[in-house]
Amino acid sequence: MQHFHFLHQLQRCARFHFPTEGRKLHAHIIKIGLYDCSLKLCNNLIDMYGKCGLLDDALQLFDEMHHRDLASWASVFTAHNEANQPQKTLLLFPNMFLDGLWPDHFVFASVVKACANSGALRVGKQVHCQFLKSVFSVDDVVKSSLVDMYAKCGLPDNAKSVFDSILVKNLICSSAMISAYARCGRKNEAFALLGELGEKNLQCWTALISGFVQNGNLIDAVDVFLEVRREGVDMRDPFILSSIVGACASLAALQLGKQIHRLVLGLGYECSLFVSNALVDMYAKCSDIVEAKKIFDSMLTRDIVSWTSIIVGMAQHGQAIEALSLYDDMILAGLKPNEVTFVGLIYACSHVGLVNKGKSLFKSMIDDYKLSPSLQHYTCLLDLYSRSGHLEDAENLVNTMPFQPDEAVWAALLSACKQHGNTEMGVRVANRLLILGPKDPSTCILLSNTYAGAALWDNVSKLRKQLANLEVRKEPGYSSIDSGKETTTFYAGEALYPMKDAIFSLLKEFDSEMRKRGYIPDTTFVLHDMEQQEKERQLFWHSERLAVAYGILRTVPGSVIRVVKNLRICGDCHTVIKFISSITNRKIVIRDANRFHHFNEGACSCNDFW
DNA sequence: TTAGGGTTAG
């Protein structure tokens, strides 16, 4: 009798997330000696701890158990999944076989979920095979999780074949399938499946919208969101709100983002951790780092994503010291950094030339936090060395890191050689790049200019041929500017654009004023085999200049001009915009493919290295 | 005891 009472109470604590009461029950169970004799009680305790977010307690109890059954394993897997530690589930999984147990449908479902959330496709496929050979192969819940796994791993056709094998389809597996299509860009199939559903719920719409966001199909994501709004669907849900805020972040659509923020406030979701994290990131990515920090400061609870978002945001906006100081606050607050936090931190160091600090953070990441650095971490460290002129350390790192350096890595090193005038290393690096066969036209230009600088004309002509043969053309450069009511986009060198004559005259005026102040166009960002005048003409039409000039003509004097560019800003435009900020006394913020540049009084927050 | 939708880098 007593036994059933405890089971019931534990299930209640698990369901309503009452950790304190759950712990008390545990103590009571031990006290009256029920603990050792009931497997079922132990399994329910693990489940309760997992659902209450107390993974360590769940794990401790699990480790202490003398005998475990399938339910014990399934509960501990679910506890890890709930704590967002799917990799741990997969590490534990093989140990289950050592207990002499073979997975049932509960274990299959939780292990497949772990594969889905950690992108472990190979293990997922193995588990799928085991499932098909098992007596549970008709279980629809496991099939639902398999659809989700293939969706998250980017294999919509595999997802579809599992989906087709489900006899009675419900909204859960259909949402997973819609997500599979949306996140790989198969828009029509996603819409068609959604249309087939008799009754839809918010999850289906969220699956579609967030799938589009993840795929970069941002305009469709916003369109669907607005349509769902018009249909009067209740949006009081943190999932859909954080997803659409994320779309605004990627679009750098500050005005739309502000509208969604007002909606969030209206619906009372400003306290949702996911939503406020997304808002912090959105404001940072929409170039309003001040508002991002305000939201961060106003948050009552903050997790590692909140801290990482603001640290990365600060680093990208060139506020490195603040980023590092926020990290200290985060550690004091008792949070543990993750891989993404360290990307932001090392990035911050590279922008103020804190070589030793960056090195020690990299070391701390490995030694103190047992995180394994990825190629991105090495790239950040490389940037730190390169930027600070530690070229030998940089070259050494590229040669010794446990990753095959790709074109971007070599190109970054080559660019640093150019920046610091090290021709000897430049040629050495260029030779490595030449063997690799550069694919990006801007790498070819960099290479060609390096060889031209060293008078190695044979290589120059080889590269010209290679560039002519490159099938992949460079993505056309464009910049957009949000003037409050509308967004206007400018493409490099285009002949027709709004206010063409006024922009042309203004840029001409700037050009003559800048030359008086000592400006010399830097044409090394253009291929060498052109006449000087033609090179200068090419630079003159770069999209960011058109957008900035338009901004000066169309916005209120004194307001901040915010421009978003799809590619990296070129060195000459960077110089020009510094001049423009000083001539016009305007603050100009440009988000390029990599980072933010805050131009003010003739200087840029990136300290001229990016 | 199991399954679907969300946030952070590059």
Side-chain angles (χ1 to χ4, degrees):
Chain A
M1 232 4 244
Q2 217 175 7
H3 193 109
F4 288 114
H5 164 77
F6 282 121
L7 279 179
H8 178 75
Q9 290 300 317
L10 283 174
Q11 281 159 10
R12 200 177 61 87
C13 292
R15 192 164 163 210
F16 298 108
H17 300 179
F18 294 151
T20 317
E21 199 179 329
R23 274 209 174 110
K24 277 185 191 157
L25 281 167
H26 189 179
H28 202 92
I29 290 167
I30 295 172
K31 206 169 156 191
I32 60 173
L34 270 175
Y35 185 63
D36 283 334
C37 56
S38 172
L39 187 58
K40 198 157 185 176
L41 267 180
C42 285
N43 291 344
N44 272 273
L45 276 165
I46 294 173
D47 181 56
M48 180 276 295
Y49 281 133
K51 297 239 163 68
C52 291
L54 300 167
L55 177 62
D56 288 342
D57 297 66
L59 205 54
Q60 192 186 342
L61 175 55
F62 179 80
D63 287 339
E64 284 168 2
M65 288 166 73
H66 301 299
H67 177 66
R68 307 178 190 114
D69 64 2
L70 281 169
S72 327
W73 284 95
S75 303
V76 86
F77 293 153
T78 304
H80 282 97
N81 290 348
E82 296 258 329
N84 200 18
Q85 298 200 17
Q87 296 91 342
K88 298 262 174 73
T89 295
L90 298 184
L91 275 175
L92 273 174
F93 179 49
N95 296 348
M96 193 192 76
F97 295 90
L98 299 177
D99 269 4
L101 298 167
W102 202 253
D104 65 358
H105 46 317
F106 292 109
V107 169
F108 276 127
S110 48
V111 171
V112 170
K113 183 176 178 160
C115 294
N117 292 336
S118 58
L121 179 61
R122 213 167 56 88
V123 183
K125 281 186 167 173
Q126 287 168 358
V127 176
H128 188 181
C129 287
Q130 286 181 357
F131 167 69
L132 289 176
K133 286 189 280 184
S134 77
V135 293
F136 304 100
S137 66
V138 289
D139 188 276
D140 282 349
V141 171
V142 179
K143 286 182 188 171
S144 263
S145 56
L146 281 165
V147 173
D148 177 50
M149 181 198 80
Y150 285 119
K152 291 201 169 116
C153 293
L155 295 174
D157 293 321
N158 296 45
K160 182 65 167 47
S161 67
V162 180
F163 180 72
D164 286 340
S165 76
I166 297 177
L167 292 175
V168 184
K169 297 180 176 65
N170 59 14
L171 283 174
I172 293 180
C173 62
S174 301
S175 299
M177 195 60 229
I178 289 170
S179 170
Y181 285 138
R183 67 172 79 211
C184 71
R186 281 158 68 167
K187 189 167 125 177
N188 294 338
E189 285 155 292
F191 277 123
L193 182 54
L194 191 79
E196 284 170 21
L197 300 177
E199 225 179 298
K200 298 177 191 55
N201 61 8
L202 193 60
Q203 274 96 327
C204 308
W205 288 113
T206 315
L208 186 70
I209 292 170
S210 67
F212 284 157
V213 176
Q214 283 162 41
N215 185 245
N217 198 350
L218 306 165
I219 303 295
D220 280 318
V222 173
D223 282 348
V224 175
F225 178 80
L226 296 175
E227 190 195 321
V228 179
R229 275 279 286 163
R230 273 195 297 274
E231 281 187 15
V233 174
D234 191 349
M235 292 278 181
R236 266 171 291 191
D237 178 85
F239 286 71
I240 196 158
L241 291 172
S242 50
S243 188
I244 201 68
V245 171
C248 298
S250 307
L251 277 169
L254 182 60
Q255 300 306 325
L256 181 65
K258 282 182 176 172
Q259 283 177 26
I260 308 273
H261 187 188
R262 281 193 285 273
L263 176 69
V264 166
L265 295 171
L267 294 173
Y269 269 87
E270 68 275 22
C271 292
S272 157
L273 190 59
F274 274 117
V275 177
S276 20
N277 285 350
L279 282 169
V280 170
D281 178 54
M282 185 272 288
Y283 277 111
K285 288 219 168 85
C286 290
S287 88
D288 196 342
I289 189 69
V290 176
E291 187 62 30
K293 182 67 169 37
K294 259 191 210 163
I295 296 188
F296 176 83
D297 287 339
S298 73
M299 290 170 71
L300 297 175
T301 48
R302 305 181 185 107
D303 67 357
I304 184 62
V305 176
S306 331
W307 286 96
T308 301
S309 302
I310 195 69
I311 288 172
V312 168
M314 287 288 182
Q316 284 187 324
H317 283 273
Q319 301 192 23
I321 302 300
E322 290 82 351
L324 293 169
S325 143
L326 278 161
Y327 176 65
D328 294 337
D329 296 343
M330 185 190 97
I331 299 299
L332 282 176
L335 277 100
K336 207 178 137 216
N338 65 19
E339 287 90 345
V340 188
T341 324
F342 281 104
V343 171
L345 290 169
I346 301 169
Y347 190 78
C349 290
S350 86
H351 285 274
V352 279
L354 292 172
V355 180
N356 289 332
K357 177 76 180 167
K359 265 185 183 171
S360 79
L361 281 164
F362 188 82
K363 196 168 176 297
S364 163
M365 167 182 177
I366 302 164
D367 297 344
D368 303 334
Y369 297 102
K370 313 292 173 212
L371 298 168
S372 29
S374 66
L375 180 59
Q376 281 69 44
H377 295 101
Y378 283 99
T379 310
C380 279
L381 200 60
L382 174 72
D383 184 51
L384 170 64
Y385 290 148
S386 308
R387 187 186 159 98
S388 321
H390 292 58
L391 291 181
E392 273 160 26
D393 284 337
E395 191 183 27
N396 191 27
L397 185 73
V398 174
N399 287 324
T400 56
M401 66 186 191
F403 293 95
Q404 198 67 38
D406 59 6
E407 181 176 332
V409 168
W410 286 119
L413 186 57
L414 184 55
S415 166
C417 293
K418 180 180 169 238
Q419 190 96 9
H420 294 282
N422 190 331
T423 316
E424 191 195 327
M425 189 187 287
V427 170
R428 196 156 63 230
V429 173
N431 291 341
R432 297 291 295 263
L433 254 172
L434 204 59
I435 295 167
L436 204 66
K439 305 274 183 305
D440 187 336
S442 59
T443 313
C444 291
I445 293 172
L446 189 62
L447 262 175
S448 168
N449 292 348
T450 305
Y451 286 130
L456 295 164
W457 303 110
D458 282 354
N459 287 344
V460 174
S461 80
K462 208 164 153 186
L463 273 156
R464 274 189 200 152
K465 279 180 204 146
Q466 190 151 357
L467 193 60
N469 292 336
L470 269 187
E471 283 178 16
V472 189
R473 294 300 306 154
K474 198 170 173 175
E475 192 187 351
Y478 65 80
S479 298
S480 21
I481 174 158
D482 199 341
S483 58
K485 285 181 188 153
E486 53 179 14
T487 302
T488 314
T489 303
F490 293 88
Y491 289 87
E494 69 181 352
L496 288 168
Y497 49 87
M499 302 176 64
K500 185 181 174 186
D501 293 340
I503 290 175
F504 182 78
S505 318
L506 187 62
L507 286 176
K508 270 295 203 201
E509 264 178 53
F510 287 148
D511 193 64
S512 84
E513 177 60 31
M514 289 184 320
R515 285 182 199 254
K516 276 186 211 154
R517 297 184 185 204
Y519 163 68
I520 301 163
D522 182 355
T523 52
T524 53
F525 300 95
V526 184
L527 249 191
H528 267 247
D529 56 353
M530 271 182 215
E531 293 296 327
Q532 180 68 16
Q533 224 179 352
E534 171 59 17
K535 285 184 203 167
E536 290 182 21
R537 203 186 67 80
Q538 282 219 343
L539 289 170
F540 196 79
W541 297 116
H542 274 181
S543 63
E544 51 270 54
R545 299 186 195 194
L546 304 177
V548 166
Y550 179 82
I552 289 169
L553 292 166
R554 288 297 297 266
T555 55
V556 185
S559 61
V560 179
I561 294 170
R562 298 177 198 276
V563 170
V564 177
K565 183 176 164 63
N566 63 331
L567 306 174
R568 280 176 65 173
I569 186 169
C570 92
D572 189 61
C573 284
H574 196 263
T575 309
V576 166
I577 294 166
K578 283 199 293 186
F579 274 115
I580 295 179
S581 78
S582 128
I583 295 169
T584 60
N585 201 19
R586 295 287 294 264
K587 284 184 184 167
I588 302 165
V589 184
I590 297 194
R591 165 177 143 168
D592 74 4
N594 272 7
R595 54 160 296 120
F596 285 91
H597 302 265
H598 290 250
F599 297 93
N600 190 23
E601 294 177 358
C604 178
S605 60
C606 77
N607 295 327
D608 302 335
F609 196 106
W610 65 93

